[in-house]
Amino acid sequence: MARFFARSRRVSIHYIIARGGQLVQMVPEDEIAIHTRGRNRHSVGIELINRGDGIQPFPEKQIARLAKLIAAIRARHAIPLDAVVGHDDVDRSTFRCAGERVRRKQDPGPLFPWKALRLEVLMAGM
Protein backbone atom coordinates (compact mmCIF):
# COMPACT_ATOMS: atom_id res chain seq x y z
CA MET A 1 0.00 0.00 0.00
CA ALA A 2 2.76 2.46 0.86
CA ARG A 3 4.32 1.73 -2.54
CA PHE A 4 1.04 2.69 -4.27
CA PHE A 5 0.91 6.07 -2.55
CA ALA A 6 4.62 6.68 -3.09
CA ARG A 7 4.25 6.15 -6.87
CA SER A 8 0.93 7.93 -7.38
CA ARG A 9 0.82 11.58 -8.42
CA ARG A 10 -2.97 11.81 -8.11
CA VAL A 11 -3.47 10.22 -4.68
CA SER A 12 -1.56 10.74 -1.46
CA ILE A 13 -2.15 10.28 2.24
CA HIS A 14 -0.56 11.57 5.42
CA TYR A 15 -0.49 8.26 7.32
CA ILE A 16 -1.04 4.55 6.65
CA ILE A 17 -1.75 2.09 9.46
CA ALA A 18 -1.24 -1.61 8.73
CA ARG A 19 -3.43 -4.34 10.19
CA GLY A 20 -0.73 -5.14 12.77
CA GLY A 21 -0.59 -1.52 13.93
CA GLN A 22 2.55 -0.46 12.06
CA LEU A 23 2.43 3.24 11.18
CA VAL A 24 4.00 4.94 8.16
CA GLN A 25 3.91 8.69 7.51
CA MET A 26 3.80 9.43 3.79
CA VAL A 27 3.20 13.21 3.74
CA PRO A 28 4.06 15.72 6.51
CA GLU A 29 0.97 17.12 8.25
CA ASP A 30 1.85 20.67 7.18
CA GLU A 31 1.65 19.64 3.50
CA ILE A 32 -1.53 18.91 1.55
CA ALA A 33 -2.24 15.26 0.76
CA ILE A 34 -4.74 14.36 -1.97
CA HIS A 35 -7.06 11.93 -0.21
CA THR A 36 -10.65 13.20 -0.38
CA ARG A 37 -12.59 15.65 -2.52
CA GLY A 38 -13.02 19.14 -1.15
CA ARG A 39 -11.29 18.55 2.21
CA ASN A 40 -7.62 18.07 1.37
CA ARG A 41 -6.49 21.56 2.38
CA HIS A 42 -8.00 21.31 5.87
CA SER A 43 -7.61 17.68 6.88
CA VAL A 44 -5.14 14.95 7.77
CA GLY A 45 -5.68 11.77 5.78
CA ILE A 46 -5.23 8.39 7.45
CA GLU A 47 -5.57 5.15 5.50
CA LEU A 48 -6.23 1.86 7.28
CA ILE A 49 -5.20 -1.30 5.47
CA ASN A 50 -8.46 -3.17 4.99
CA ARG A 51 -10.30 -4.77 2.08
CA GLY A 52 -13.02 -2.15 2.46
CA ASP A 53 -15.67 -4.73 1.71
CA GLY A 54 -17.71 -4.07 4.85
CA ILE A 55 -16.96 -7.61 6.02
CA GLN A 56 -13.30 -7.66 7.05
CA PRO A 57 -13.01 -6.45 10.67
CA PHE A 58 -10.46 -3.93 11.88
CA PRO A 59 -7.89 -5.52 14.23
CA GLU A 60 -7.53 -4.17 17.78
CA LYS A 61 -3.85 -3.28 17.19
CA GLN A 62 -4.81 -1.19 14.18
CA ILE A 63 -7.55 0.66 16.05
CA ALA A 64 -5.29 1.20 19.08
CA ARG A 65 -2.59 2.76 16.88
CA LEU A 66 -5.22 4.88 15.12
CA ALA A 67 -6.53 6.14 18.47
CA LYS A 68 -3.02 7.18 19.59
CA LEU A 69 -2.35 8.88 16.27
CA ILE A 70 -5.66 10.77 16.32
CA ALA A 71 -5.07 11.87 19.94
CA ALA A 72 -1.64 13.23 18.97
CA ILE A 73 -2.98 15.00 15.87
CA ARG A 74 -5.84 16.51 17.88
CA ALA A 75 -3.37 17.81 20.47
CA ARG A 76 -1.15 19.38 17.79
CA HIS A 77 -3.99 21.04 15.86
CA ALA A 78 -6.80 21.54 18.46
CA ILE A 79 -9.23 19.37 16.48
CA PRO A 80 -12.57 18.59 18.17
CA LEU A 81 -13.43 14.90 18.45
CA ASP A 82 -16.60 15.30 16.37
CA ALA A 83 -14.42 16.51 13.47
CA VAL A 84 -12.81 13.04 13.27
CA VAL A 85 -14.74 11.43 10.42
CA GLY A 86 -14.44 8.80 7.71
CA HIS A 87 -14.21 9.20 3.95
CA ASP A 88 -17.85 8.15 3.66
CA ASP A 89 -18.83 11.13 5.84
CA VAL A 90 -17.11 13.78 3.71
CA ASP A 91 -17.14 12.46 0.14
CA ARG A 92 -20.66 11.71 -1.04
CA SER A 93 -19.83 11.85 -4.74
CA THR A 94 -20.92 9.00 -6.99
CA PHE A 95 -19.99 7.44 -10.30
CA ARG A 96 -21.74 5.12 -12.75
CA CYS A 97 -20.98 1.41 -12.46
CA ALA A 98 -22.93 -1.26 -14.34
CA GLY A 99 -25.69 1.26 -15.01
CA GLU A 100 -26.09 2.27 -11.35
CA ARG A 101 -24.85 5.20 -9.26
CA VAL A 102 -22.29 4.02 -6.69
CA ARG A 103 -20.70 6.01 -3.87
CA ARG A 104 -17.06 6.82 -4.67
CA LYS A 105 -15.93 6.59 -1.03
CA GLN A 106 -17.53 3.96 1.19
CA ASP A 107 -14.82 3.53 3.79
CA PRO A 108 -14.33 2.84 6.57
CA GLY A 109 -17.70 1.07 6.25
CA PRO A 110 -20.35 -0.35 8.57
CA LEU A 111 -18.01 -2.54 10.65
CA PHE A 112 -15.80 0.33 11.72
CA PRO A 113 -15.84 0.61 15.56
CA TRP A 114 -16.48 4.37 15.85
CA LYS A 115 -17.72 4.28 19.45
CA ALA A 116 -14.72 2.25 20.68
CA LEU A 117 -12.31 4.42 18.68
CA ARG A 118 -13.66 7.67 20.12
CA LEU A 119 -13.38 6.27 23.64
CA GLU A 120 -9.77 5.14 22.99
CA VAL A 121 -8.92 8.57 21.54
CA LEU A 122 -10.21 10.26 24.67
CA MET A 123 -8.26 7.86 26.89
CA ALA A 124 -5.07 8.27 24.80
CA GLY A 125 -5.35 12.05 25.04
CA MET A 126 -5.35 12.08 28.84
Side-chain angles (χ1 to χ4, degrees):
M1 183 62 99
R3 279 184 266 148
F4 168 80
F5 286 110
R7 290 191 318 249
S8 177
R9 292 180 185 205
R10 296 186 313 189
V11 178
S12 57
I13 198 79
H14 292 97
Y15 296 97
I16 300 172
I17 302 176
R19 296 186 58 73
Q22 301 87 346
L23 175 68
V24 176
Q25 184 173 13
M26 301 297 295
V27 175
E29 287 177 23
D30 62 347
E31 293 182 17
I32 297 171
I34 303 166
H35 56 93
T36 192
R37 288 186 177 173
R39 302 278 179 120
N40 294 323
R41 187 172 301 281
H42 305 289
S43 62
V44 175
I46 303 169
E47 190 69 37
L48 302 177
I49 302 300
N50 184 278
R51 284 194 300 258
D53 58 7
I55 297 169
Q56 185 179 43
F58 294 87
E60 287 181 26
K61 287 182 180 181
Q62 190 177 43
I63 298 302
R65 177 60 68 116
L66 176 62
K68 289 178 185 171
L69 176 60
I70 290 171
I73 292 169
R74 286 183 66 226
R76 285 192 291 276
H77 301 286
I79 299 169
L81 187 57
D82 63 349
V84 177
V85 296
H87 278 127
D88 56 350
D89 294 316
V90 295
D91 187 344
R92 300 211 175 267
S93 62
T94 61
F95 64 94
R96 282 201 141 328
C97 180
E100 295 183 30
R101 300 295 304 170
V102 178
R103 292 265 313 267
R104 189 173 94 71
K105 291 287 191 173
Q106 299 179 31
D107 57 316
L111 291 183
F112 190 75
W114 280 109
K115 188 180 275 188
L117 173 69
R118 285 189 168 96
L119 183 59
E120 280 195 55
V121 168
L122 291 173
M123 299 302 286
M126 297 182 129

